[in-house]
Amino acid sequence: MVFEQRRPGAVLFDRDGTLIRDVPYNGDPARVRPMPGALEALSRLRRADLPVAVVTNQSGVAKGLITADEMEQVNARVEELLGPFDAWAICVHDDGDGCTCRKPAPGLLIRAAAVLDVSPRECVMVGDIGRDMEAARAAGARGILVPTVETRREEIEHAPEVADDLTDVAERLLREADAAPAPVAAGGSAWSRALGWSRW
């Protein structure tokens, strides 16, 4: 799918390995470390009035490795370090649960887009692994892969678009954006408005 260069309706970010260092099943806010350039990239997108959201798989809750409260504390720390997000979409299921939200399924992207009052096709999904790109494709969104040392070669080869880092993503999107004012996002940016993940 080829996406025309236009102003995104929203930019959706994976959490672990994209916005913050990937610490598997982390329940400790003290271990949250932003990825290089994350704060600057987010700040530039916010200044351009582009809504930013987090869409994240957190199967550690389903596995019993972290509690929902620990997950909330980690996400609150992410916002302390990287600023407020316009929406959070979280899947706490495991692969075997058969949900429609866990990436590579498109549910998280569709839900985040709905909260932000934009079409999924107007969204850009930024992530570090193939699941993120597959979810983007399934939702009709534009996918941009930002590889890390953990990203598999085949994931990079099959990615619809690859960026060097989050700075590259922000520069690319802002360069492509037109001068039209951004739509006003629905809802607030408080972490507590986590899109009702416990009901999924």
Side-chain angles (χ1 to χ4, degrees):
M1 182 178 296
V2 177
F3 289 87
E4 62 179 288
Q5 295 185 357
R6 64 181 186 273
R7 184 183 185 88
V11 187
L12 315 179
F13 291 90
D14 172 57
R15 194 191 79 174
D16 304 316
T18 301
L19 289 176
I20 62 173
R21 298 285 185 185
D22 187 8
V23 178
Y25 309 119
N26 180 33
D28 182 1
R31 300 183 70 189
V32 174
R33 297 287 183 273
M35 292 293 282
L39 179 58
E40 178 187 359
L42 288 165
S43 297
R44 292 179 65 186
L45 294 173
R46 290 180 180 119
R47 285 197 299 270
D49 292 324
L50 289 175
V52 291
V54 180
V55 290
T56 177
N57 289 348
Q58 294 299 321
S59 64
V61 176
K63 296 177 188 292
L65 299 175
I66 60 173
T67 67
D69 181 65
E70 288 171 335
M71 180 192 70
E72 291 175 4
Q73 291 181 42
V74 168
N75 288 335
R77 180 59 176 161
V78 171
E79 286 213 328
E80 288 177 7
L81 294 172
L82 296 178
F85 291 90
D86 297 289
W88 284 77
I90 306 166
C91 174
V92 296
H93 303 118
D94 205 352
D95 277 328
D97 291 339
C99 71
T100 59
C101 49
R102 180 169 171 77
K103 295 176 290 183
L108 291 181
L109 283 69
I110 293 170
R111 185 66 179 270
V115 169
L116 297 170
D117 197 25
V118 298
S119 166
R121 301 180 71 85
E122 298 173 8
C123 294
V124 177
M125 174 70 218
V126 182
D128 65 311
I129 61 174
R131 278 178 179 255
D132 300 315
M133 299 301 98
E134 291 172 35
R137 188 176 295 110
R142 174 183 176 183
I144 301 179
L145 184 75
V146 181
T148 69
V149 293
E150 304 297 329
T151 310
R152 299 196 304 270
R153 180 184 297 273
E154 59 267 27
E155 293 177 318
I156 299 173
E157 292 173 349
H158 292 126
E161 197 171 339
V162 179
D164 295 333
D165 50 30
L166 292 178
T167 299
D168 183 19
V169 170
E171 290 177 350
R172 189 176 303 187
L173 295 180
L174 293 173
R175 185 171 60 245
E176 294 171 359
D178 60 28
V184 177
S189 59
W191 145 244
S192 60
R193 300 173 186 172
L195 312 194
W197 61 264
S198 62
R199 297 194 297 273
W200 296 358

